[in-house]
Amino acid sequence: MVVENQDIRVTIDAPKTAGDPITIPCSYVNKSDIKAFTLASTAGATPVNLVYNTDYTITGGNLYLINNLTDGTLTVYRQTPIDQETKYPEVGKFP
């Protein structure tokens, strides 16, 4: 069996105009799984997490910034929650 390796992160340099499409680099189930942050180009800058439907929107396979990115970089990535929906017994046979 072959497991495909999919790049789940892309970094884009400024400038980027609001409304320009940015291709999301991976497949996703929920739009809320797609995250983004900016990082200013100044030394020692801290990443700023962007908020879905406040700082960016998603339509189809594209992310759209609501404001212009004038400095630094924008990183888009997928962060899928890890849930175990089945409760397994702590002792005994594995089902």
Side-chain angles (χ1 to χ4, degrees), residues 1-77:
M1 178 168 92
V2 175
V3 177
E4 290 185 32
N5 186 10
Q6 188 178 34
D7 192 10
I8 60 168
R9 180 180 294 250
V10 64
T11 300
I12 299 154
D13 292 325
K16 194 69 177 170
T17 305
D20 285 350
I22 299 166
T23 303
I24 297 172
C26 56
S27 58
Y28 59 93
V29 175
N30 298 312
K31 293 179 181 180
S32 60
D33 293 345
I34 301 300
K35 309 292 183 190
F37 66 87
T38 58
L39 182 62
S41 59
T42 55
T46 8
V48 176
N49 291 319
L50 302 182
V51 178
Y52 174 62
N53 276 339
T54 300
D55 300 311
Y56 65 93
T57 60
I58 296 173
T59 303
N62 293 315
L63 179 142
Y64 297 88
L65 290 173
I66 293 175
N67 298 304
N68 292 334
L69 176 67
T70 57
D71 178 52
T73 60
L74 168 73
T75 300
V76 178
Y77 63 99

